[in-house]
Amino acid sequence: MIYVILTLVLLLLMVASAIYAIWQKDLLYAVIASGILSLFLSIVFVILQAPDVALTEAAIGVALTTIIFIIAIRNTVRYEDEHDKKKKVKTTTK
Amino acid sequence: MEKYLDILNVAIYGSAVLLMLIGLYGALTKKSLIKIVLGLSILDSGVHLLMIAIGYLKDGTAPIFSAGNEEKMSVMVDPIPQALVLTAIVIGFGVTAVAISLVIRLYRHHNTLRIDEIKKLKW
Amino acid sequence: MKIAIILISLGILGFYLMDIFFGIGFGVQHFSNGVKDLYLSNSKDILKVSNVVTSIVVNFRGFDTLGEVTVLFLASTALGGILYKKRHHVGERSVLFPASRIVMSGAKLLFPSIVLLGAYVFIHGHLSPGGGFQGGTIIATGFLLMLLTYRNYSVSHNRLVYFESLAGILFISIGLVGYFSKGSFLENVLPVGNMNDLFSGGVIGIIYIAVGFKVAAELTGIIYTVLHEKD
């Protein structure tokens, strides 16, 4: 019974963080939300009796994928429509 | 117990399909390249959850013969989807890394991440 | 308009997917005569391996795993080729933010235990949850911690290449020994021993140690290449 409630809460949080990751304009927040999704997903794997997969997901999904995205954001732009603002400024100064 | 199993049936398969749809929606509609790669990785997570959920057995144990557990073969969950998902997660990380490096390279060349300004790639 | 078309097609797709998956049931035996029982009983009786996922990944589907580590190697190589930069541009690496003294001391304290945990996970891959892929990624996260904390910490690329190719050669040569003595690639050639012993399962332990070194070297190489990327 307690596992059922825990699973339902985890699934709800997963879907919520996925929606937040797609909806958020700030890419850094979106990437952190997708890392949280992977964390909850690994707990769900433990509940579904798959400890091997949970270990892999916890190491790769939470740590490595998130850090690769963060490095990419540092090297490019942080906001989803940042280039638009620059362009508008350019056109008005001309 | 049967009632809870029905609830979990709807909840787990529903949220796995919902994750896939959310990821696909992000990959189809967003303009930022990093958002597209992020959507594809969310799609990956949904597929992994779906495959593990298909292999689950009610009151099952993990497929490990620990000491004193050697005869409980019939209550173990299916190990084959777990092996497949194990492979798929690692490969998914490799795919994401290559895609991110392509994104960085594109940004270095075009100085933008918006896909409609690069070459009219989006419809 | 575009959004409407996408939403309608995603709705149709979701409706049919949910229709399929709600019908097959959750927590029930899907196949009366599945391949699952064969794998479970073979892993217990013939190979004497406790963790069935390990025996499937390494022994019953070992060729698949060889292909997987090849894909990782190709991804690492492609990343190095895509992010290629002239040699003299690579200078001081810029970290995300300067680390404080507490983070530096903590990272130095945690790094050996993270590597030790990774080594434990891939040595005991056939006894407990874990294995080469998990252990390799844990070791890679340890290197990631050091690379993020210290500005001048560097991983020798030559040593990574050395470990990686040595592990790959070990994997393939074990497979070839099985081919020449027993007749099929990756056949077990060593005695299997007792269940729940450290030295059980024949070649599975050796192959998973090789896979662990290979995955750790490849993932560390990927992180190092991406982290050196700078505007």
Side-chain angles (χ1 to χ4, degrees), chain C residues 111-128:
Chain C
F111 175 65
S113 34
I114 291 176
V115 173
L116 191 66
L117 174 68
Y120 173 82
V121 166
F122 69 68
I123 288 171
H124 289 251
H126 52 295
L127 301 179
S128 57

Side-chain angles (χ1 to χ4, degrees), chain A residues 4 8 11, chain B residues 2-16 50 53, chain C residues 18 20-28 30:
Chain A
V4 176
L8 290 180
L11 292 174
Chain B
E2 290 298 318
K3 194 175 65 182
Y4 301 138
L5 217 61
D6 277 348
I7 297 172
L8 274 186
N9 180 11
V10 174
I12 286 193
Y13 287 136
S15 56
L50 192 63
Chain C
M18 286 191 190
I20 292 169
F21 288 112
F22 288 168
I24 65 174
F26 176 69
V28 294
H30 296 298

Side-chain angles (χ1 to χ4, degrees), chain C residues 191-212:
Chain C
V192 287
N194 290 324
M195 199 115 171
N196 283 320
D197 269 357
L198 181 57
F199 295 102
S200 64
V203 296
I204 284 181
I206 303 169
I207 289 178
Y208 241 7
I209 289 172
V211 170

Side-chain angles (χ1 to χ4, degrees), chain C residues 24-206:
Chain C
I24 65 174
F26 176 69
V28 294
Q29 192 100 38
H30 296 298
F31 310 104
S32 58
N33 241 334
V35 74
K36 165 196 165 190
D37 296 328
L38 187 73
Y39 276 145
L40 284 171
S41 60
N42 271 354
S43 159
K44 190 181 128 200
D45 298 332
I46 299 177
L47 278 176
K48 307 274 189 196
V49 173
S50 307
N51 193 349
V52 185
V53 178
T54 298
S55 71
I56 290 176
V57 167
V58 178
N59 204 294
F60 296 121
R61 291 169 184 260
F63 203 58
D64 209 358
T65 306
L66 183 60
E68 181 186 0
V69 287
T70 312
V71 168
L72 262 185
F73 168 70
L74 284 179
S76 174
T77 315
L79 208 115
I82 290 167
L83 292 179
Y84 173 74
K85 214 185 268 184
K86 289 224 175 66
R87 187 62 66 138
H88 55 266
H89 282 301
V90 179
E92 183 93 330
R93 177 162 41 89
S94 70
V95 288
L96 297 185
F97 43 83
S100 72
R101 192 161 294 276
I102 296 175
V103 176
M104 283 187 178
S105 310
K108 204 182 277 179
L109 196 69
L110 274 176
F111 175 65
S113 34
I114 291 176
V115 173
L116 191 66
L117 174 68
Y120 173 82
V121 166
F122 69 68
I123 288 171
H124 289 251
H126 52 295
L127 301 179
S128 57
F133 295 106
Q134 290 92 336
T137 51
I138 289 172
I139 291 177
T141 42
F143 279 106
L144 169 68
L145 179 68
M146 290 303 272
L147 284 171
L148 282 183
T149 310
Y150 290 95
R151 192 183 286 265
N152 51 5
Y153 189 83
S154 73
V155 182
S156 165
H157 232 285
N158 289 333
R159 209 169 293 169
L160 284 183
V161 169
Y162 181 72
F163 272 120
E164 204 265 335
S165 41
L166 208 66
I169 289 170
L170 182 62
F171 195 157
I172 293 179
S173 54
I174 288 174
L176 284 182
V177 167
Y179 177 68
F180 284 120
S181 62
K182 291 282 181 66
S184 72
F185 194 69
L186 282 171
E187 187 78 39
N188 194 7
V189 288
L190 295 176
V192 287
N194 290 324
M195 199 115 171
N196 283 320
D197 269 357
L198 181 57
F199 295 102
S200 64
V203 296
I204 284 181
I206 303 169

